[in-house]
Amino acid sequence: MELKDKLLASFMAFESSVDIDSNVHDLRVEAIKKFEDDGFPTKKLEAWKYTSLYSVLKHDYSVFPKGEPRLEYADIKQYFIHDIDSYKIVFVDGKYSSYLSQTTHDGIDVCLMSAALNKPKYRMVIDKYFNKAARNEGLSALNTAFSQEGAYIHIPKNKVVEKPIQILHFATGTETGLMLQPRNLIIVDENSHLEIIERHQSLTDNPVLTNCVTEIFTNKRAIIDYYKVQNDKQTASLIDNTYINQKQESVASVHTFSFGGKLTRNNLNFYQNGQRINSNLKGVTIIGEKQHVDHNTLVHHIEPNCESHQDYKSIIGDSAIGVFNGKIVVEKEAQKTNAFQANNNLLVSDKATMNTKPQLEIFADDVKCSHGCTIGQLDESAMFYLQSRGIPKKEARALLMYAFSNDILSSVKIPEVKQRITKLIAQKLNVNLGFDL
Amino acid sequence: MLHIQNLHASIDGKGILKGINLNVKPGEVHAIMGPNGSGKSTLASVIAGKDEFEVTKGEMLFENEDIQELDPEERAHKGIFLSFQYPVEIPGVSVTNFIKTAINETRKSKGLGDMPANEMLKMIKEKAEMLEIDRKFLSRSLNEGFSGGEKKRNEIFQLAMLEPKLAILDETDSGLDIDALRIVASGVNKLKSKDNAVIVITHYQRLLDYIVPDFVHVLHDGKIVKSGDKNLAKELEAKGYDWIKDEATV
Ligand SMILES: Nc1ncnc2c1ncn2[C@@H]1O[C@H](COP(=O)(O)OP(=O)(O)OP(=O)(O)O)[C@@H](O)[C@H]1O
Ligand SMILES: [Mg+2]
């Protein structure tokens, strides 16, 4: 059976496991209809021109994992940033693991989507925020239809959460193929500050497909720093849909580090609903073999005096394919917008491909928008310079690639995250340069 | 130390070096002069191993070993150093990290472990002081936004750190102010010994007042057309190149 039919067929079974008399369920029903109409996106859609899901969808995925896998912390420790004090929300095959998690009741809500969707005390918040930022289309609709589990984080106003929250989704080997659809909702109220580190990690060699939706709401003057560490196995694919709804004077920053995975598609959407908002989108992509990473970004400037900064760098080797599709919309009312976009790419093999496409739709007249993209090779004269000082070719290449991605790391605020990313880059480039950036 | 015989090199099929002969012995200083475009930087690059240039003919030995097949880094490990006429900017890598990497990779090639951090720091401090380089400067990205003179001084700092056997200075004097020239030249002189050698490429006598050459060669159209002692450089300063070009074509 095709995956689409399988999903449609299993919706009824899914309904028997959730409360169907809720507002949320009305949304699910609406969403499954939408998915039935839309289906999976194909290359015919402009936004999917360079990314085909065909090779990912052809596997037979179990959409409701049955097993009760038991993981020990020691087995998965390496996937955490473990040298910092943090809260941890851990899911294994889509189910919450209280054994591996470390949450808090210290004045902030760090809990489960399933609880938030079902318990009356959360109803008002859910009605106000759930599915209000996500778009009801294609893969996001599919996720909404099956939304049940994920992280639910609500930071009340005037609270600086001093420890970062790590959200980890593990997939294990008990199924032949596994499809996961986590659903996260994060609300940061006035003047509050939150840091999140997120990772999807497969522990099996069987195919895993994750279709994740994360909705983030930053209220007045709130700050969120979100780090996505994508270093999954080459049998795992990820479609990551993130929707960020910002209110006035809030600052939201998302760093996406894409090193692993077979196919990764990042749909990252910012909506600026207020003045003096700042949105930051940063990314480092280093891929090889036959990996495919597609960054599809949207920044929607709706009100005046806001800023957005996008800076994505990629290093593409072997026969890997990179895509950057960055859309900036500046509405007529959004005067004095300052929107910056840069996408710089290094192709380090003859067979590597990069598709980059900025899309600017500007309806206001008093704005500053700049965008630039480059696709280049390693600079020969720089290589000769380094080699002539005794630095071997391989290390010289790595050093230049390091240097190339360096400025993106400078905006990472958690030193341990920066260190880990530096290490992952070194690993990915297969070198050991005896220093940190 | 360096023995070059009838060396021909070309780029994209265009001949640039057309039969160079040059012998450099330990302890010697050679100056190479010659008009713009005569092939001085090309000769330096070919010795350092830039593979853009194709050596079509001739012999190049360093310490009696044929180095033509060696990569630039292998030549560096053997003790050849080129101070670039136009040092390359490497954003994102600090001067300190760069020099540490260069030193430790050179040590690695000799089967040695990394230089202990305190030893490295001491050496960096010493050499920076010798060349009157501000410490703050060392944490900046390599050559990025450096002034012309700063770049050159930084090249000599690297030279001092790496202590090569053969140093080739390609127009190190251009871009240096009078004080910097004196500092850099005295740095080079301090590093000189009976065991190492220097090739100085320059257009001006000024540098040769400080770094006094044993031999002066004039390169013209890919060939050394005249060699002499330090007085040749003075004669060139006074008379220009035309008389040599005329001599060469006769
Ligand atoms: N990469 C290259 N491609 C094509 N021609 C080159 C290249 N590099 C050098 N040449 C040519 O080779 C000739 C010698 O150049 P070179 O840089 O060696 O001269 P030079 O003697 O160092 O001159 P200057 O005094 O101006 O530094 C010049 O005609 C130059 O245009
Ligand atoms: Mg030159």
Side-chain angles (χ1 to χ4, degrees):
Chain A
M1 200 179 348
E2 293 258 326
L3 185 57
K4 179 182 173 189
D5 298 327
K6 187 172 186 169
L7 286 160
L8 292 174
S10 52
F11 187 69
M12 256 164 52
F14 172 74
E15 284 188 304
S16 67
S17 70
V18 295
D19 172 16
I20 56 171
D21 292 323
S22 64
N23 296 344
V24 168
H25 199 65
D26 294 343
L27 294 173
R28 291 194 190 108
V29 172
E30 201 183 309
I32 195 78
K33 282 195 195 123
K34 187 74 168 94
F35 173 69
E36 187 170 6
D37 291 346
D38 289 359
F40 286 106
T42 66
K43 290 179 95 168
K44 287 197 192 101
L45 293 173
E46 190 57 29
W48 289 83
K49 198 167 157 189
Y50 300 110
T51 299
S52 164
L53 290 177
Y54 178 78
S55 68
V56 171
L57 298 178
K58 69 179 188 212
H59 297 292
D60 185 26
Y61 296 104
S62 161
V63 294
F64 297 123
K66 289 160 221 75
E68 284 283 323
R70 181 102 179 142
L71 291 179
E72 291 302 325
Y73 183 65
D75 302 332
I76 53 168
K77 185 176 171 221
Q78 58 171 307
Y79 302 113
F80 293 90
I81 311 282
H82 48 74
D83 42 7
I84 42 170
D85 199 7
S86 66
Y87 301 118
K88 301 176 183 71
I89 314 177
V90 181
F91 300 91
V92 180
D93 293 349
K95 293 201 179 68
Y96 175 67
S97 166
S98 59
Y99 176 63
L100 297 169
S101 298
Q102 229 176 307
T103 57
T104 174
H105 296 284
D106 191 18
I108 58 177
D109 263 319
V110 179
C111 78
L112 299 183
M113 194 62 141
S114 54
L117 291 178
N118 294 318
K119 289 190 185 159
K121 78 165 187 178
Y122 294 108
R123 182 154 305 148
M124 263 176 60
V125 179
I126 290 294
D127 284 346
K128 185 169 175 195
Y129 293 105
F130 180 80
N131 211 38
K132 294 297 184 286
R135 296 276 300 275
N136 189 30
E137 64 181 18
L139 289 153
S140 291
L142 175 63
N143 178 287
T144 303
F146 289 94
S147 55
Q148 188 185 18
E149 197 54 290
Y152 170 88
I153 298 165
H154 187 178
I155 312 300
K157 62 180 182 183
N158 304 326
K159 182 110 193 161
V160 174
V161 184
E162 74 286 2
K163 297 196 250 180
I165 300 176
Q166 304 198 51
I167 307 174
L168 282 101
H169 298 272
F170 291 101
T172 70
T174 51
E175 311 276 344
T176 51
L178 189 58
M179 179 168 183
L180 297 172
Q181 302 210 65
R183 176 75 174 218
N184 306 311
L185 177 60
I186 298 163
I187 303 149
V188 190
D189 278 338
E190 261 182 67
N191 299 323
S192 290
H193 184 180
L194 176 65
E195 294 173 321
I196 302 234
I197 302 157
E198 173 204 86
R199 187 160 180 165
H200 299 268
Q201 186 64 47
S202 163
L203 305 171
T204 163
D205 291 327
N206 294 329
V208 173
L209 171 59
T210 302
N211 176 38
C212 183
V213 169
T214 303
E215 291 183 282
I216 298 169
F217 295 85
T218 56
N219 285 315
K220 204 166 153 185
R221 286 189 298 276
I223 301 174
I224 187 164
D225 290 300
Y226 207 111
Y227 302 96
K228 291 173 183 278
V229 183
Q230 302 176 339
N231 192 33
D232 213 342
K233 289 198 167 190
Q234 303 228 358
T235 43
S237 293
L238 170 67
I239 298 153
D240 189 45
N241 309 281
T242 307
Y243 299 90
I244 304 183
N245 206 332
Q246 291 187 256
K247 286 277 164 58
Q248 69 201 75
E249 288 161 60
S250 65
V251 182
S253 308
V254 176
H255 286 75
T256 309
F257 301 105
S258 312
F259 307 133
K262 173 187 162 78
L263 182 149
T264 306
R265 162 78 172 214
N266 289 298
N267 294 318
L268 181 55
N269 306 281
F270 283 75
Y271 305 97
Q272 296 185 333
N273 291 295
Q275 295 205 23
R276 290 177 298 282
I277 288 170
N278 207 329
S279 309
N280 300 300
L281 302 77
K282 306 277 167 108
V284 178
T285 302
I286 304 179
I287 51 173
E289 294 179 43
K290 290 189 164 152
Q291 289 181 277
H292 185 116
V293 171
D294 179 348
H295 293 288
N296 190 81
T297 68
L298 166 71
V299 180
H300 196 160
H301 290 276
I302 301 164
E303 297 202 30
N305 303 314
C306 295
E307 291 186 23
S308 66
H309 299 265
Q310 296 189 59
D311 197 352
Y312 280 80
K313 294 201 168 174
S314 33
I315 300 172
I316 321 268
D318 302 328
S319 340
I321 299 175
V323 182
F324 177 80
N325 196 344
K327 186 166 171 176
I328 299 172
V329 180
V330 182
E331 295 293 349
K332 205 168 162 197
E333 291 72 33
Q335 298 294 1
K336 307 268 180 216
T337 289
N338 193 349
F340 168 84
Q341 184 189 78
N343 173 231
N344 297 297
N345 307 286
L346 270 184
L347 295 183
V348 292
S349 118
D350 294 343
K351 292 200 207 90
T353 312
M354 181 69 208
N355 302 293
T356 174
K357 194 172 101 187
Q359 260 177 289
L360 306 184
E361 294 177 12
I362 300 169
F363 303 102
D365 45 27
D366 185 14
V367 299
K368 262 194 235 157
C369 281
S370 69
H371 71 96
C373 50
T374 59
I375 301 177
Q377 272 103 38
L378 280 179
D379 181 4
E380 288 291 330
S381 55
M383 280 296 289
F384 176 58
Y385 187 69
L386 299 187
Q387 285 179 271
S388 79
R389 298 289 142 94
I391 302 173
K393 196 168 189 164
K394 192 174 128 199
E395 280 72 17
R397 282 171 68 99
L399 195 59
L400 289 180
M401 293 192 233
Y402 246 128
F404 173 74
S405 46
N406 176 43
D407 51 344
I408 305 272
L409 294 192
S410 66
S411 54
V412 173
K413 294 199 193 105
I414 308 174
E416 290 83 358
V417 171
K418 195 168 175 170
Q419 262 162 35
R420 173 63 72 93
I421 298 302
T422 304
K423 224 184 248 174
L424 287 177
I425 292 178
Q427 240 171 47
K428 190 76 194 176
L429 300 175
N430 193 21
V431 285
N432 185 6
L433 297 164
F435 62 84
D436 292 334
L437 288 173
Chain B
M1 178 179 273
L2 181 72
H3 173 82
I4 290 176
Q5 183 124 29
N6 195 26
L7 186 73
H8 287 69
S10 60
I11 187 158
D12 303 329
K14 178 181 151 209
I16 295 176
L17 300 184
K18 301 170 180 172
I20 303 269
N21 297 306
L22 183 66
N23 271 299
V24 180
K25 296 202 183 68
E28 292 179 349
V29 176
H30 289 244
I32 296 180
M33 306 182 80
N36 293 134
S38 56
K40 302 179 298 297
S41 295
T42 303
L43 175 62
S45 297
V46 169
I47 297 171
K50 190 169 191 172
D51 63 5
E52 255 183 287
F53 295 103
E54 195 196 346
V55 174
T56 50
K57 213 182 197 178
E59 201 176 44
M60 187 162 52
L61 304 180
F62 183 70
E63 298 192 312
N64 299 318
E65 189 191 343
D66 185 355
I67 54 169
Q68 277 193 48
E69 295 301 315
L70 299 185
D71 287 333
E73 63 268 30
E74 293 170 312
R75 299 184 198 202
H77 296 160
K78 294 203 177 298
I80 296 176
F81 180 95
L82 169 60
S83 168
F84 282 54
Q85 182 175 0
Y86 304 107
V88 183
E89 301 197 359
I90 316 276
V93 180
S94 71
V95 176
T96 308
N97 280 336
F98 175 67
I99 198 67
K100 276 185 195 166
T101 311
I103 285 182
N104 284 332
E105 289 296 343
T106 302
R107 288 173 65 100
K108 205 196 275 174
S109 76
K110 299 186 167 71
L112 299 170
D114 284 359
M115 183 184 276
N118 55 343
E119 207 177 300
M120 180 84 74
L121 280 176
K122 195 169 148 253
M123 189 170 175
I124 290 175
K125 190 165 174 272
E126 229 174 76
K127 307 291 182 184
E129 272 169 17
M130 176 178 90
L131 293 163
E132 298 182 25
I133 291 175
D134 191 339
R135 298 291 297 275
K136 268 186 274 169
F137 195 78
L138 300 174
S139 54
R140 279 175 61 180
S141 277
L142 186 60
N143 293 327
E144 193 185 26
F146 286 18
S147 74
E150 286 169 343
K151 282 182 182 165
K152 295 301 173 66
R153 200 188 290 220
N154 186 246
E155 292 290 282
I156 301 307
F157 170 68
Q158 294 177 43
L159 167 79
M161 290 294 293
L162 289 165
E163 299 177 331
K165 290 181 191 154
L166 173 66
I168 305 167
L169 313 183
D170 191 355
E171 294 198 25
T172 300
D173 51 342
S174 63
L176 289 179
D177 64 44
I178 296 160
D179 292 334
L181 182 73
R182 191 177 33 75
I183 294 161
V184 162
S186 87
V188 172
N189 284 333
K190 273 185 206 145
L191 298 166
K192 275 221 72 260
S193 78
K194 63 177 182 16
D195 300 318
N196 58 28
V198 186
I199 297 175
V200 194
I201 297 171
T202 183
H203 288 293
Y204 306 106
Q205 172 60 34
R206 213 177 46 179
L207 178 67
L208 303 179
D209 287 340
Y210 294 103
I211 307 174
V212 182
D214 301 300
F215 301 94
V216 175
H217 310 279
V218 180
L219 200 63
H220 171 60
D221 192 21
K223 272 189 283 230
I224 290 178
V225 291
K226 196 167 183 70
S227 295
D229 62 11
K230 60 182 184 202
N231 294 317
L232 176 57
K234 294 190 177 129
E235 203 176 342
L236 291 169
E237 182 105 324
K239 298 207 283 190
Y241 289 115
D242 283 349
W243 62 282
I244 290 183
K245 287 184 196 168
D246 293 343
E247 241 174 52
T249 48
V250 173

